[in-house]
Each structure stands twice: as C-alpha cells, then as structure tokens.
C-alpha cells in the first residue's frame, strides 16, 4: 500500500462520483417542478415536464437519425423554444451543440458547418436565404436539415424536408439518455466572430457549463423561479450559459425573436420579468425608448450587462429607468461572463454617477472561476495594483474553454504560461478590481503616447446628444496615429463637431481629443458590439483622401 | 488519431483546469471583501482579510511543525474562531480536518485519535478533563497538543504546552498554500456517532465540500453577505459545510459556544442574524422560550432544520415565532444535508399545519447531488411513488463520501449496487418527494404489523403539553413488540398518561397507541438527536421487571 491513509480503499464508484453536467439540472427541475412554466413564446407556453419530454424526444430522434457521440449539431435559430430545447436535447444525444450567429453571411456559415463537421442543422425560416447558399458552398456530405417553423414569424421558407415538430413527434419522450462518460467531454462549439482571418471554434465541456450555470446564480444572487427575458441571443456563448442556469433555478424563459424595446417593455410588464442580460447597446435602446413604453411597470428588473466595456453612462442610464445593473465580463472562451464587478453595499450611498463608475469595472473573478488578473504578457508578472500600469487581462480556471477546435497552435498561444490571454488591456485598481482600458488592437498611439479609446468614448457618452460612440486610430503623418470619433446622435438632438470637441477638451488632455469627428450610423455585430475594424478602415480611407 | 474531433488537442492544462476546493472561496472573499466582517465572537471581531491571514498562519505553522499532506489534524472545539479557521488552515496545509464531537467520553476520543492517526490536536479548556485521560489511553506517539483559550470561557485548563494564539503568531500570514493536487483528495474526517460498535470514519473530499458549500447557497437561496449564527455545531459534518458556504457568500459568522435561547435571541437582535441551522431540538428550545426573549426582533430569520426527522409541529411552531423554515435531510456520509424539501410557492396559501406537513418531508435531491430515491435494498428497484410502499432511502452523486477510513468492508456495503444506503426507511410520495417513515432499526413490529415510531411521535407532538417525545419498541410476550412512549413535557404543563393515550386514540389506529408511557428527560446526543438505543434499553428493562 502506498500513499497516506486517505489514499487507500476510498476510490470513485457509481455511488459517490458522477460527471458534472448541466443536463442534471433539467432532470431535477422537471421532476421537482413538473407543472411550473419553463418557456413562454408568444401564445405558446410549456411546463418543465413538457420541455424535458421535448428535449428527450429531440435526443432520441437525433440518435435515430444517426447522430453519434461527439458529432456536431448546428443551430441557426433566434431565441425560440427549439433553441432552448437544443441546449439539452443535443448533449443528451452525446452530441455537441454548435449555435450559429444568425447575422452571418453564407460564406461564414459554410465555413463553420464545414470546419465543425455538422451532421445536422436545425434552422429557422428567417434564415433560409442564408442557409441555402451556405449549403451550396459545402464540400462533401451535407448535414441533415431540420426546419423549425415558428408561429411568431410570418415566413415559412424551408430549406430541408424535415420539420422540427415532426422530428420531435417521432422521438421518444422517455428516452433514457445518459450523462457524458467524462465531464471533460465537449458540450458546445462556439465560433468567435473572427474579425481577422477565419473564426476559431471555441469548445466548452460539461464541467464548465455546469459550473458557469451555477456561478451565474451565485455571483448574480439569482433566486429560484426567476423570470428571465431572452434579450441576449442564445447563439452567443450559449446565452452566457443561461439556458442551463434557468434549468437549475426552475425559472421561466420568456423567448424573444428580436430586440424590440416596445415588445421588451410589454413582456416585462405582462410576464413580470425579473431578470435580463444584454450588451450595452440593448440597454441603450431601452434607456432611449419613449417613456410611455415603461408605463405600468412597477417592479425593478435585475440586469446583467457585458459584451463590450460598457460606458458608465449606460449603467447610470439603465439604473435611472429601473434596472438594477450588475456588470460582468468575459469572452466566448470563458463561457461568457467569468468575472463580475461584485458590488459593495456601501456603494449604494454613492451618487449614481460615482456608483456607475465603480460598477463599470470588469471586477473580480466569478465564484467558480479561479483567477482573473492583469499581467505583462511577456514576463507573466502581475502588474502593480496602482490603477495605471497597463497589462493584459488573463483568466485561469474551470470557466476557461477546452481550447480551439482543430487549432492546436491557437490553443497553445491562448494558454501560454498557464493563463488564458484575453487580448484585452487594462489595469488593476488598488482594490484589486480589474478595469479594461482597451483591446490591445484598439489602443491609439499618438506621438508615442498611448491613448485609451475607451477613455475617450467614456467622455463622449457623457455628452447629452450622444447615443453611441466609438473611437479608433487614424493614421497621421505627424503623430503616427490620432483619435477619430464616430458618433450616433439621439433622435432630435442637434450637435456639431465643434460642440463635441469643446466637450472633450473640458474632460480630456489635449492630445486625447479626437482630431476627426464623424456623425453616422455605427456598424455593429449581432450582439451589439461596434465593429471597430470597419471604423478603422473608414478612418484609414478618410486619412488617405484628405 | 483516435476518437472524435473533440478528443484531439483539447486536454487539461493549468489555464483551463483547477481542482475544485472550497479553499478557493476564502481566497476570493478575502480579496474582494477584505474589510467586511467574517467572524464575530463575543467582543472579538475579524474581517475576511484578517481571518484569511490567520488561516494562512495556521497552515504554515502546522507545516513548520511537521504536518504533511494527508496527515490528520483533530479539533476538540466549540463554535469559536479557531474552529472556523481550522476549516481552511488545516486543508491549506494539505492535511485532513478531524472535528471531534465535544460530548464524547475519553474512550471514544481516544479511539478516534488512534484510528485517525491524528498528528495534531487543537483543544478548548472546557474539554481538558476529557482530553487528558483520552491521551493517556493512546498507544504510540501522542499528537502535538495546542490549547485554544477563549475569552468567552472562564476556564484556562491546558493540556499541552502550546497556545493557539502563539502558534498562529509564529506562522506566516502570507503563506503560499496550494490547492490539492487532486479534487478527490481528502479534506475532512468525521466519525459517525456509532450507537453500536466502533464509530466509522467518514472521509470527505475537496470536490464534495466545494459542491455542497455551493449547493447550500443555491438550494436554500442564501444571499451574499448573510449573517449566520452558529447554532449548529461545527464538529457535526463540518457544520453541514457552512464554514465553506459562508466563505463563498462573504457572510458573517456569529459564533456561539452553546445553544442558549436567551443568548441566541440576543444575537439575532443585535447582529441582525439572517440565517441559522439546527436540529429540531434547537428549534424546540427557541419555540418554547419565554416570549419576552423575542422582544425587539422585527425581522424574519431563515432556518434550515434537519438532524432527525422533524415533527411537523416543530416546523409549524418555528414558523409561528418568526422563522422561515426549510427542511433538509442528509447524513454524515452525505456532507450533512444533501436533500431539501423544495418549497412550492403555492404551498404559501395552505393553512400553516398543512404547509408544515408538506415541508416536513425529506424532499428531493440537492441541486448538486445526483440522486435520491427509495428502493428495495434487496432488488435495488425503486418503490412505486404511492406514498405507502416502504423501502430504503438511497443517495447517489458528488455529495456522497469517499468512504469509511480503513474500513473497506463497511464502505462496500454502504455503496452496494451503486447507491449509498442510508439505513432510513421511507416512501416515495406521488409528487416524487421522499418521506422517511423510520430508521430501519426503529420500526416497531407488533403482531406482525409494522408501526412507524415517527408516525406515533408526530401525533404525540401535536398534544399541547408535549415538548419532546420518542417512541421505541418494547418487548412483549403476546405481540412481539409494542410501542413505548417517552415524553418530556413543557414547563408547567400538567398531563397524565391517560390524557396521552386518549389523544393518541383519537388520531391513531388502536394497535399503534403506546402501551407504555413514561415522563422523563430524554437522553440526547450533542446535536440534539434523541438516543433511541438508550430508550430501547430502558424499555427492555421495564418490560423485564414488570
């Protein structure tokens, strides 16, 4: 016998060890709360017992159609019940869930289907016009196509020959699915937006999905039976793992095909929505929506915000219209949020603007993440917590992806030195909270000085006429780069470039004041992130033609 | 290359895999909330930063004194700060925490120190008179003794030569402890009370302690910064894992050397206690305490109850005096509670007695436990959910112990058929909730009919004069066994055996009515469990001498 006394005869067995998987949560909730509402979509409503049975039908039908353990099942769906069900039914079949960004073009979709080797694709009529040419681009066997029609959408354009409801009808509602053999097994594949080069396929495992689903509850303080409105696309990092969170807390999923402030406020009022998540752009739309849309809503709604570094002004504005905002941060590679700007009760006594500033930081690791810090990526030394020394934000722990699919080089680079490199630049503040200053590629270097585009944007957002703002580098003969600002103004607001410059001069060192100001509609990704690479192109051309 | 595409190049590394351990929680909280209160004990008060530093000092001092990975460190302590600190400092040293029941006699303590091979024992002056003879009984090397004096206790009787505070003073507050190499490594050793034969040493691992600490938060809906009063002994299943839970939720631990209703209500009032845990006996004392003790307490206190099957009357009584009761169930082998009688909002509309009846069931698995059911232990088939067919309660999942230390036979028996056998008998109700009918050894078989001692006790508790009641089998020539009732009456209540019999006849079939009734002080364990084996002995002698 070797080792200490605790290493003898105390091994794992079926009674004391079970792989962690978020699939356990839906089994529990369907059994404990079978008659509680699980999913609401327009006129349709399901109970947890019904949703669980539909997930099992889906799993068994996938297996009957030849899907095997480790096969990929792709989804091109808005936030509709089949999308929620796929988060359980696909892994119950042992397969891997690959949700596709519904705003992609056919080429990008084709790349993902090919690279992920999807065996099945479930799709919505709204995207038939993208899927059809994407399929034409595929080499080799095409995936099995299942069309999920939706009563809440007028179109019925189909790509395949199978209908989702028929597919389910052929499945077994009591299908005896099993947990993964290993909690390290893949549960999901999520492609990064890939602003340069091909997108990378981020692979999640069951263990991480389970822990992040639980961490969402603990780190947010989310109660059982929360009513959650799907303002966040489920295709985005699996809706930050919230499908699994909602199964754990036996809550209500209120579906939403698209972000429409009138509909959102109506659903908040009617369904007594208690929780939402979203990018700053979503909150921006809600803040700036006509006040009468909010009439009759008497309760406060808890809101998680992330997706891009949110300006404090957005947090402040959201609080003013009745959202209790918690700021989180993460990336596709960290299952969505893996850090939270954990609040301190004493912040409640601060004026709203100072509180928003505190809340606007990326904060500290999630309860079930192990590490978040800022390091010099060359030396892998933590920067001093002085709020000034810049470094790269790094994560470590169980809420970090398995790696990039079929891309060992990128995987190794991402994990160099035993930490996940986010590519975001920031500082450690004296209280240990992390604050992003910029994406490494977004820093503007002007006359040898670094300018944080975020810092300039923060100032722009404080101007009352500004709805959305983005600052990028513009090539400049004298300075190397200068800041250029792109601004969307609020409806009916009158403002000139000179006004903006004057406002910036009040709050910024002169070298940080934008040298070029343009009023326009900003290019955005599906999740509301501003596409800075597009703006950089605009800035370059503007510079060249001047 | 073998396997599917997700099994290639996506392995574990330092960035994406970290062993689960509740030690991660204190590191996080000390860093995020360094100045928040961690522990209050009488006049003493610590912050999370201070507590964390004290835990690191303890770990480094243990290592400096020769403690190695996998060594056992025993504790004979009431609920005082050193007991809380040991839950972190001991495993930070790689050692295993062995908390001893402070009501044990020297022989039992000696058995545990010997069997667990304790290298160090930290003890309180109150127990010096037990520890000294226990040490005399030990063969071989004695453990290193550390006396933890306490300003809240008048005695200063010391057993060893080292004082806890001096020991800490010699430690390093910045000690670079590390997580266990494997989350399956042992974190704690807890001996069962062992009413027959030698106690068994239940071994917990870091993974289970982590998951149960989190499950306490999720399954109870416990918020961040809860104020937790230590009415439950920390030596009992590591306080149901609540030292680790409180570290995760950055709450306040209000220490308590002994269960004293006057002090408990004073602390609830003064410290604004929000949460407590305890056995039914604790709630019984609080319910029956003079009303004026509760004066000035305006807030509701959330209370977990477990430890023995609680009569519905206790739950009802506790609700009447301002506790919001949640009923949990578990055993030493399941890290304390591993099931919860999950509430349904619609129960709120029931009359209090019917609600208490619903809440009085053992319920359903904890969020992070995988299975709880009732089975025929011979066939390992689940009983029908008819509320009538008896079977044995069985658990399965990550909240089940590693096994019994140095006892492979008992370990294998406990895990036979891939489930942990609790030894409790019960039924599955139609809603899938488990209800205990009895410990297998507590069933009374009278004229071939099974009588549930719990059912008779439930009726006894409904009599207004009854404070505590226990029913056991008494040998009987004619019937084999008959029920005998042992009753503690409330202060000032006048009641006769005939009154009790009349009350029982109203609510029970005649063969279930106790044939022998005795008014006495009931023998109890330190956690308030009634010692039925002692009552059975009393019943036997009474039967023999009649």
């Amino acid at each position: 016998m070797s080792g200490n006394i605790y290493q003898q005869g105390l091994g794992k067995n079926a009674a004391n060890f079970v792989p962690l998987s978020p699939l356990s949560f839906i089994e529990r909730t369907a059994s404990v709360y079978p008659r509680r509402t699980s999913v609401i979509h327009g006129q349709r409503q399901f109970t947890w017992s019904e949703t669980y049975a539909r997930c099992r039908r889906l799993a068994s039908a996938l297996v009957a159609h030849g899907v095997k353990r480790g096969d990929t099942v792709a989804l091109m769906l808005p936030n509709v019940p089949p999308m929620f069900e796929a988060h359980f039914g696909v892994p119950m079949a042992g397969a891997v869930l690959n949700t596709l960004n519904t705003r992609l073009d056919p080429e990008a979709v084709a790349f993902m289907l090919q690279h992920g080797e999807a065996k099945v694709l479930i799709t919505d009529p709204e995207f038939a016009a993208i899927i059809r040419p994407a399929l034409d681009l595929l080499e080799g066997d095409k995936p099995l196509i299942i069309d999920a029609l939706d009563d809440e959408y007028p179109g019925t354009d189909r790509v395949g020959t199978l209908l989702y409801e028929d597919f389910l009808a052929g499945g077994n509602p009591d299908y005896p699915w099993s947990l993964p053999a290993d909690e390290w097994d893949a549960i999901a594949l999520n492609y990064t937006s890939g602003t340069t080069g091909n997108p990378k396929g981020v692979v999640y495992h069951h263990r991480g999905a389970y822990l992040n689903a639980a961490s969402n509850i603990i780190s947010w303080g989310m109660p059982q039976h929360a009513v959650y409105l799907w303002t966040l696309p489920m295709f985005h990092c699996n809706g930050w793992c919230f499908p699994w969170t909602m199964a754990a807390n036996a809550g209500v999923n209120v579906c939403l095909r698209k972000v429409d402030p009138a509909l959102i406020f109506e659903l908040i009022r009617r369904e007594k929505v208690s929780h939402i998540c979203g990018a700053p752009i979503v909150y921006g739309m809600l803040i700036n929506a006509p006040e009468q849309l909010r009439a009759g809503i008497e309760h406060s709604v808890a809101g998680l915000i992330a997706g891009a570094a949110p300006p404090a002004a957005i947090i402040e504005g959201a609080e003013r219209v009745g959202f209790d905002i918690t700021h989180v941060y993460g990336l596709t590679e960290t299952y969505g949020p893996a850090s939270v700007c954990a609040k301190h009760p004493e912040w409640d006594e601060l004026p709203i603007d100072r509180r928003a500033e505190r809340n606007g930081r990326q904060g500290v690791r999630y309860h079930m993440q192990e590490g978040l810090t800022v390091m010099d990526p060359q030396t892998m030394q933590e920067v001093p917590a002085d709020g000034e020394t810049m470094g790269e934000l790094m994560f470590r722990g169980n809420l970090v992806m398995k790696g990039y699919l079929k891309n060992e080089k990128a995987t190794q680079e991402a994990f160099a030195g035993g930490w996940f490199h986010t590519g975001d630049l920031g500082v450690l503040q004296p209280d240990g909270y992390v604050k992003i200053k910029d994406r490494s590629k977004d820093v503007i270097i002007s006359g040898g000085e670094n300018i944080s585009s975020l810092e300039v944007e923060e100032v722009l957002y404080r101007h009352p006429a500004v709805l959305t703002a983005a600052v990028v580098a513009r090539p400049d003969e004298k300075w190397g780069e200068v800041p250029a600002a792109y601004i969307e103004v609020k409806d009916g607001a009158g403002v000139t470039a000179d006004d903006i410059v004057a406002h910036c001069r009040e709050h910024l060192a002169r070298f940080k004041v934008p040298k070029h100001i343009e009023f326009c509609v900003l290019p955005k990704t599906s999740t509301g992130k501003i596409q800075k690479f597009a703006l950089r192109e605009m800035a370059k051309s503007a510079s060249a033609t001047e």
Side-chain angles (χ1 to χ4, degrees), chain A residues 53-243:
Chain A
R54 286 170 61 87
C55 296
R56 292 168 90 174
R57 284 179 181 278
L58 174 57
S60 78
L62 288 170
V63 170
H65 282 77
V67 169
K68 298 197 171 37
R69 193 156 288 270
D71 279 352
T72 302
V73 173
L75 292 305
M76 184 78 167
L77 295 171
N79 289 343
V80 290
M83 182 65 152
F84 184 78
E85 291 153 9
H87 278 80
F88 302 91
V90 171
M92 279 175 188
V96 178
L97 188 72
N98 173 218
T99 56
L100 301 171
N101 185 325
T102 56
R103 302 215 188 159
L104 293 173
D105 55 37
E107 288 72 22
V109 170
F111 172 83
M112 293 172 188
L113 293 175
Q114 192 91 55
H115 185 264
E117 304 180 21
K119 298 290 187 295
V120 176
L121 169 66
I122 306 177
T123 184
D124 182 276
E126 188 175 348
F127 313 116
I130 297 165
I131 293 300
R132 209 174 283 115
L135 293 174
D136 289 341
L137 290 169
L138 288 185
E139 292 163 20
D141 290 345
K142 313 275 184 210
L144 175 72
I145 306 294
I146 301 167
D147 288 289
L149 302 187
D150 181 7
D151 291 343
E152 300 298 312
Y153 182 76
T156 56
D157 192 1
R158 293 170 57 176
V159 184
T161 52
L162 279 172
L163 284 178
Y164 182 77
E165 291 296 333
D166 295 341
F167 192 72
L168 286 201
N172 173 7
D174 301 313
Y175 178 65
W177 60 277
S178 55
L179 288 171
D182 187 326
E183 63 197 39
W184 194 257
D185 284 355
I187 189 169
L189 169 67
N190 288 298
Y191 284 92
T192 58
S193 39
T195 49
T196 55
N198 278 326
K200 286 178 287 202
V202 173
V203 182
Y204 294 172
H205 46 63
H206 283 255
R207 174 183 170 98
Y210 177 94
L211 293 174
N212 207 28
S215 223
N216 278 334
I217 294 177
I218 295 176
S219 296
W220 197 7
M222 199 181 195
Q224 293 284 294
H225 313 314
V227 180
Y228 183 84
L229 176 62
W230 275 102
T231 44
L232 179 80
M234 263 185 257
F235 68 69
H236 186 58
C237 312
N238 299 109
W240 301 354
C241 297
F242 273 93

Side-chain angles (χ1 to χ4, degrees), chain A residues 380 395-397 414-421:
Chain A
M380 293 305 281
F395 275 113
R396 196 173 64 82
F415 294 153
W419 287 78
F420 168 65
H421 298 237

Side-chain angles (χ1 to χ4, degrees), chain A residues 269-406:
Chain A
R269 185 169 37 239
R270 194 171 72 204
E271 307 297 348
K272 302 225 171 6
V273 168
S274 59
H275 290 73
I276 68 168
C277 293
I281 191 84
V282 172
Y283 292 96
M285 286 168 68
L286 298 178
I287 294 166
N288 293 301
E291 207 182 313
Q292 66 268 26
L293 291 182
R294 303 198 299 271
I297 298 175
E298 320 241 305
H299 65 289
S300 163
V301 177
L304 277 199
I305 188 167
I314 293 272
I315 295 184
E316 188 181 327
E319 298 228 332
R320 286 193 198 281
V321 301
F323 293 94
D324 177 14
I325 295 293
T326 298
H327 180 209
V328 291
Y329 162 71
L331 303 92
T332 304
E333 287 85 344
T334 63
Y335 296 76
S339 82
V340 55
C341 189
K343 296 182 187 184
H344 289 246
E346 53 272 28
W347 294 356
D348 289 348
E349 288 146 38
L350 295 175
I352 193 168
D353 58 334
R354 288 192 50 208
R355 190 167 70 240
E357 198 182 292
R358 298 274 172 112
N359 279 331
R361 302 177 297 166
Q362 281 59 45
V364 297
R365 65 183 174 92
Y366 247 33
H367 279 81
M368 294 179 165
Q369 182 69 302
E370 292 295 320
L372 165 65
T373 192
V374 180
M375 289 185 180
D376 178 326
Q378 303 308 318
T379 64
M380 293 305 281
Q381 294 298 303
E382 202 167 48
V383 301
D386 58 12
E388 291 187 0
T389 312
M390 293 272 278
E392 184 173 357
L393 275 68
M394 308 260 184
F395 275 113
R396 196 173 64 82
N398 297 304
L399 309 183
V400 170
M401 64 171 178
K402 290 181 77 159
Y404 298 115
L405 185 69
K406 303 188 205 167

Side-chain angles (χ1 to χ4, degrees), chain A residues 485-538:
Chain A
Y486 294 84
I487 295 170
E488 262 180 62
V489 294
K490 289 180 186 164
D491 282 352
V495 66
T496 66
D498 286 347
D499 296 340
I500 297 290
V501 169
H503 170 79
C504 288
R505 285 203 177 150
E506 258 181 67
H507 297 96
L508 288 171
R510 186 163 285 244
F511 77 99
K512 296 180 180 174
V513 173
K515 302 294 173 292
H516 173 87
I517 288 166
E518 193 169 326
F519 298 100
C520 59
V521 174
L522 296 176
K524 299 184 195 77
T525 70
S526 57
T527 56
K529 263 192 200 170
I530 294 160
Q531 294 181 303
K532 284 207 170 174
F533 68 96
L535 293 177
R536 266 190 292 272
E537 292 305 315
M538 287 166 66

